[in-house]
Amino acid sequence: MIQQADSLLEMTADGAGEEVKTVRHGPPTPYEVSRWMPDDCTPEQLDSAIQANCPVAPVTNWSHRPDTLHLPGQPKPVDPLKAPLPSFMEHSFFADDSLYHPELKAPQNGIAGTPVPYVITGDNVITGVLLACFMLASVALAHSHSFLARQAKNFFREPHHGTTEITETSSELRYQLFFVLQSCLLYALVFFFWGRSDSDAFVIEQYQVIGLYTAVIAVYYGVKAGLYTLVDSVFFDMKRNEQWLKAALFLTSMQGVVLYPAVLIMAFFGLADNTVALIAVIVVVLVKILSFLKCYIVFFKRKGGFVQNILYFCALEMMPLALLWGSLLRIGSYLKINF
């Protein structure tokens, strides 16, 4: 225990001050400790000194007097956590009814609001696929541009017998197959956005619908290549059949290259769906005209069979295209939800 001598100044009758020292037993007060400290001490040093000289004794005698923090004449307030629930909360009016089932969720009544219109710019999946196609197509064009330019240059030339043609390498063939898959994807996107309105809903996700369209178009190109191989092997020699298949592969792969800018503008710059669909139709018409001319050059130019060329073209080009169009329309109508 610290003993401290405090100085007190007492005034006498004549006005003279006399200092009287008293001795105090017990711990000092915080004020007394602050007087001991120098003037330039920091608050941290003062706090440490007060904690060291002014111990805090534990409270052993708590007050048991009643709480008076309420209005006069009112009963003592009740703890909210211990207050009893009202009768209407404990027992419902319909609790005894056999049709009362609070565990069942009530249906949401009302009319659904107008949905937010779909835009391609807000679809991260479609924009990501288009950007991936752009990067892969850039790599493919960088490695196969000379081969594609040579095919475009010799497209209308009649092949001579006995000459050796320059065949494509395995990497160039893979790049062409990539462009074919890109053509299938772009045509599927154009058909999906052209035939879709803001109120249309599908039984499956829209990405699955686009994937299904892409698969149907890829099957169309595969079946058409199989029909060409089967029919041409019966009526023509293997060399002409190979020339025609290479030309058809080149035309199919170039459709994805020509159509890609229009789809990209539709996705990022808001080009109308009908405009892109019109561009796709123009691309298809030009490809069919080129296919008709190439078919005539390869198979019927020497024989003078212009009518046979028309029959051949209608049977193996126009009929499969009409079947593809009808299949896509029927699949779209089956997948849409009709309200």
Side-chain angles (χ1 to χ4, degrees):
M1 190 66 67
I2 300 176
Q3 296 182 356
Q4 178 189 2
D6 293 338
S7 299
L8 299 178
L9 186 63
E10 296 183 357
M11 300 300 295
T12 58
D14 55 358
E18 180 181 358
E19 184 177 356
V20 179
K21 291 186 178 181
T22 60
V23 179
R24 176 182 176 181
H25 298 279
T29 62
Y31 173 72
E32 295 172 348
V33 175
S34 63
R35 292 180 60 187
W36 299 347
M37 302 299 294
D39 297 336
D40 57 348
C41 67
T42 61
E44 291 80 7
Q45 294 174 346
L46 180 59
D47 182 70
S48 300
I50 292 175
Q51 292 183 11
N53 294 279
C54 301
V56 179
V59 179
T60 57
N61 52 348
W62 293 97
S63 176
H64 297 284
R65 294 183 179 182
D67 185 15
T68 58
L69 299 178
H70 56 274
L71 295 177
Q74 297 294 326
K76 181 180 179 181
V78 183
D79 188 1
L81 299 178
K82 300 179 182 179
L85 295 176
S87 59
F88 68 88
M89 296 182 64
E90 292 182 348
H91 185 78
S92 176
F93 178 78
F94 301 97
D96 299 331
D97 194 341
S98 61
L99 300 178
Y100 179 67
H101 296 282
E103 70 278 2
L104 300 179
K105 295 183 178 180
Q108 296 181 356
N109 299 324
I111 301 175
T114 304
V116 178
Y118 174 82
V119 290
I120 309 178
T121 54
D123 195 331
N124 296 329
V125 176
I126 300 300
T127 54
V129 169
L130 292 177
L131 291 177
C133 289
F134 175 77
M135 292 184 290
L136 294 176
S138 300
V139 175
L141 287 176
H143 289 82
S144 62
H145 64 279
S146 58
F147 169 73
L148 296 176
R150 186 171 65 251
Q151 279 193 327
K153 181 179 179 181
N154 300 329
F155 186 79
F156 294 104
R157 290 184 180 180
E158 181 181 0
H160 299 284
H161 291 282
T163 58
T164 303
E165 295 185 359
I166 301 176
T167 59
E168 63 271 10
T169 61
S170 59
S171 60
E172 292 172 344
L173 182 60
R174 288 195 298 268
Y175 294 142
Q176 278 192 306
L177 292 178
F178 164 74
F179 285 127
V180 171
L181 293 178
Q182 179 174 304
S183 302
C184 298
L185 176 61
L186 294 180
Y187 277 123
L189 289 174
V190 171
F191 182 82
F192 174 78
F193 290 113
W194 171 79
R196 181 184 181 276
S197 61
D198 295 337
S199 60
D200 286 341
F202 295 90
V203 296
I204 58 178
E205 294 291 335
Q206 61 179 6
Y207 306 123
Q208 297 177 358
V209 177
I210 296 174
L212 183 59
Y213 287 162
T214 305
V216 170
I217 297 174
V219 169
Y220 157 76
Y221 284 119
V223 171
K224 193 171 69 170
L227 290 176
Y228 278 135
T229 304
L230 179 62
V231 173
D232 295 344
S233 62
V234 175
F235 296 99
F236 308 103
D237 56 4
M238 184 176 62
K239 185 176 181 180
R240 294 184 181 275
N241 188 13
E242 182 181 357
Q243 293 172 356
W244 169 244
L245 288 178
K246 288 182 179 180
L249 180 62
F250 171 73
L251 290 176
T252 305
S253 61
M254 288 298 98
Q255 294 179 57
V257 178
V258 175
L259 192 60
Y260 181 77
V263 178
L264 201 65
I265 295 174
M266 176 183 67
F268 293 99
F269 297 97
L271 186 63
D273 300 339
N274 294 332
T275 304
V276 180
L278 178 61
I279 294 174
V281 171
I282 294 174
V283 171
V284 171
V285 171
L286 292 177
V287 168
K288 294 306 177 184
I289 294 174
L290 293 176
S291 300
F292 181 82
L293 295 177
K294 187 64 177 180
C295 178
Y296 177 76
I297 292 173
V298 173
F299 295 124
F300 302 102
K301 185 175 182 180
R302 295 185 179 182
K303 299 180 182 181
F306 186 77
V307 178
Q308 291 85 345
N309 186 27
I310 295 177
L311 296 176
Y312 177 87
F313 183 79
C314 292
L316 297 181
E317 281 288 341
M318 301 308 297
M319 289 300 296
L321 182 61
L323 291 176
L324 173 64
W325 178 256
S327 301
L328 292 177
L329 290 178
R330 184 61 58 88
I331 291 173
S333 63
Y334 282 157
L335 294 179
K336 289 181 180 179
I337 299 176
N338 298 320
F339 295 98

